Amino acid sequence: MSLRSRMVDGDPLLGLILKIPAHSAVELAGHLGFDFVLLDTEHSAAETVEVEHHVRAGEAAGIPVLVRLAGKDPASALHALDAGAAGIVVPHVSDVADAEAAVRAAHYPPRGARSLAVSTRAGRHGTVTLEEHLAKAARETVVVVQAEDRDSVRNCEAIAATEGVDAVWIGPTDLSLSLGIPGDFDLAEYRSAVDRIVEAVGSAPQCALCALVDHPGKVEEWRDRGASVLLFNYNTVVVEGLRAIVDSVRE
């Protein structure tokens, strides 16, 4: 089954966020049993060529790669998908118009407005037929939108119900920043905003809830809240692991 099929069916999925150029880390995620890698080009220096290399590494290890775009520019979506990414993650989706624009950028007409070329890596450099390429793209392209500001909380029901949106990812840091309480994840205002998004996604047909997990101990909590897609940050895992080693040795 494709990543998109598993996602919309509500299968439990585990993703690894990668912010630093590391092709081998993509392969490692595949060998370890992660379900996908989320390559972050919003908060990293990744460029088009590097995106392609990371997607190539994923295919070598049998793991799909999603690309978080730097913004809402359709050209960024085109470049990621032409490189062979399994789908896109669009940041700062604040209303239905943003959600619909994300879907349009990801899909070919008549559903969307993505430009077509089968000579790309996604088209196996022209070795598949046009019909095969179009059918695969329509069937398997993943669209994840991020709810991470006041407006996205206010409009979360409509965003989650937007046709073609496969998952909503709660962006905790930017959401807290937008609420004027950066990093205060235990405050009632933040928790209430998250609760509303969780409820909205849970009520939407074929839309998965995606959550960032900063510690394995939080997995059960998020599963109980209905999150079928859980993300771990590669940087966080590495930093915490190395810090524990340093602290242990220093002591």
Side-chain angles (χ1 to χ4, degrees), residues 239-251:
V239 168
E240 289 184 355
L242 293 177
R243 178 176 288 136
I245 292 172
V246 171
D247 290 345
S248 176
V249 172
R250 296 302 186 199
E251 290 174 0

Side-chain angles (χ1 to χ4, degrees), residues 207-232:
C207 184
L209 176 63
C210 183
L212 178 65
V213 181
D214 56 8
H215 188 277
K218 298 288 186 67
V219 168
E220 185 175 355
E221 175 188 339
W222 274 111
R223 291 293 193 212
D224 289 344
R225 299 186 76 180
S228 58
V229 184
L230 301 181
L231 292 168
F232 280 87

Side-chain angles (χ1 to χ4, degrees), residues 30-125:
H31 298 323
L32 285 172
F34 280 85
D35 297 295
F36 67 95
V37 168
L38 197 162
L39 182 63
D40 185 358
T41 68
E42 181 186 16
H43 296 292
S44 75
E47 298 179 352
T48 302
V49 174
E50 278 299 319
V51 169
E52 183 171 303
H53 289 331
H54 284 78
V55 173
R56 182 177 288 114
E59 290 186 4
I63 184 168
V65 176
L66 301 179
V67 176
R68 175 156 72 169
L69 308 181
K72 302 171 187 175
D73 182 6
S76 297
L78 176 64
H79 293 159
L81 295 170
D82 278 356
I88 58 172
V89 179
V90 182
H92 298 287
V93 170
S94 299
D95 53 30
V96 172
D98 283 347
E100 291 175 341
V103 175
R104 283 197 304 273
H107 287 283
Y108 292 118
R111 189 176 196 178
R114 177 183 169 188
S115 180
L116 174 62
V118 293
S119 57
T120 61
R121 189 171 183 282
R124 300 300 181 188
H125 305 292

Side-chain angles (χ1 to χ4, degrees), residues 85-222:
I88 58 172
V89 179
V90 182
H92 298 287
V93 170
S94 299
D95 53 30
V96 172
D98 283 347
E100 291 175 341
V103 175
R104 283 197 304 273
H107 287 283
Y108 292 118
R111 189 176 196 178
R114 177 183 169 188
S115 180
L116 174 62
V118 293
S119 57
T120 61
R121 189 171 183 282
R124 300 300 181 188
H125 305 292
T127 60
V128 298
T129 67
L130 178 62
E131 291 74 16
E132 289 173 323
H133 176 68
L134 290 174
K136 184 176 185 294
R139 183 177 63 250
E140 298 184 6
T141 300
V142 176
V143 179
V144 180
V145 301
Q146 286 196 259
E148 48 187 348
D149 56 43
R150 285 183 180 273
D151 288 339
S152 62
V153 176
R154 183 162 50 249
N155 299 312
C156 59
E157 291 86 0
I159 291 171
T162 301
E163 184 177 0
V165 170
D166 301 310
V168 173
W169 173 15
I170 300 171
T173 306
D174 275 330
L175 177 56
S176 68
L177 182 65
S178 176
L179 294 173
I181 48 174
D184 288 334
F185 304 123
D186 291 326
L187 290 184
E189 185 177 3
Y190 173 81
R191 297 178 71 85
S192 175
V194 171
D195 287 345
R196 179 168 176 179
I197 298 171
V198 168
E199 183 178 353
V201 177
S203 300
Q206 293 189 310
C207 184
L209 176 63
C210 183
L212 178 65
V213 181
D214 56 8
H215 188 277
K218 298 288 186 67
V219 168
E220 185 175 355
E221 175 188 339
W222 274 111

